[in-house]
Amino acid sequence: MIVYNNGVYCRLSQAAVSVQDRGYQFGDGAYEVIHYTDHHGVDEDWHLDRLDYSLTQLQIPWPMSANALRQCIRHVRLLNKLSTVNIYISITRGVPATRDFAFPKTPCAPVLTMIPYRHKPVAERLRTKGMTIITAPDQRWGRCDIKAIALLAPSLAKQAATEAGADDVWMVDTQGCITEGSSCNAFIVTPTGEILTRPPSHAILKGITRTRLIALARDAGLKVTERPFAVSELKEAAEAFITRTTGFIIPVTWVDKYSIGTGHPGPVTHNLLSLYETFVQEQKHGRFADTTRFVV
Ligand code: PMP
């Protein structure tokens, strides 16, 4: 596999970063994952807008223009002959002269890496039976709106889910409300058919898939309300699902060993997935024109 490593395309096994990189020492960097399907980047512009937001919040300069970055992503796809792929892009603050918690006085050059990850379609079991999740306290920092590379808290939470035999974890704030999944946004459908998800704030990552899906659902006349919902509401929900770039929409059917609704993926989730899949095809063929910018 060929990756992009700060100016050079090289084999994955030969790609290395400095042990002094602030990404390595402090988790000081931002990232994005963009899904390409038949060489079309699903909402690529929005991902680059969100990357811009993360970098701005962290005061890390762009290592190159957004258009040059698009070209590098394209080269990575072509060099690997991968038309349907997930591209992981990370930008760290770089390698300072000395180790200090404050940013280097003489700014260092940001370090950009890109790794293509083969796209695995959502497993048959998850599509047809839904995911099992546990709930656990949200132990992350106060700026989850930034797509930062520091991912220790969600890793620990996901490990706890794995050890409990579950597919994922939904994290819970101090008020008893769901924030989001370890690497996905969380939605429920109430018994009256209303779609609920937490509004964007510093408590969650404003997902690209989430944002697109909400717009599509509202256009289709469905009622979507952005408000926090409690674990008790999740347990009484008719349906639940997650959204993320690498899986679109995946039903959730069990939480903490309780079944959600019928315990099977429900009709609203199915409908939303088909709306989203149609959108991906339309956007790929240039029939879905949307020039709005992604605002976090
Ligand atoms: N929340 C978190 C914490 C995530 O890591 C992700 C995946 N990037 C998401 C939500 C989903 O965001 P997106 O739809 O942009 O992939």
Side-chain angles (χ1 to χ4, degrees), residues 31-35 46-47 50 140 144 146-148 151 154 171 179-186 203-212 242-248 276 294:
Y31 78 108
E32 275 298 326
V33 178
I34 311 180
H35 174 67
W46 282 12
H47 280 278
R50 187 174 62 185
R140 299 174 302 164
C144 296
I146 302 171
K147 199 161 165 63
L151 294 169
M171 295 173 285
T179 52
E180 58 187 332
S182 63
S183 60
C184 56
N185 289 116
I204 64 162
L205 183 76
K206 186 174 176 187
I208 303 293
T209 322
R210 166 200 185 284
T211 308
R212 179 60 73 194
I242 61 139
T243 58
R244 70 160 157 250
T245 294
T246 53
F248 298 172
Y276 193 82
F294 185 79

Side-chain angles (χ1 to χ4, degrees), residues 120-139:
K120 284 186 278 176
V122 174
E124 173 78 4
R125 176 181 68 82
L126 300 184
R127 269 194 316 106
T128 58
K129 295 201 159 61
M131 298 172 76
T132 59
I133 57 161
I134 58 164
T135 56
D138 193 335
Q139 294 180 322

Side-chain angles (χ1 to χ4, degrees), residues 190-210:
T190 67
T192 58
E194 187 179 355
I195 300 162
L196 295 184
T197 194
R198 193 172 178 114
S201 71
H202 287 183
I204 64 162
L205 183 76
K206 186 174 176 187
I208 303 293
T209 322
R210 166 200 185 284

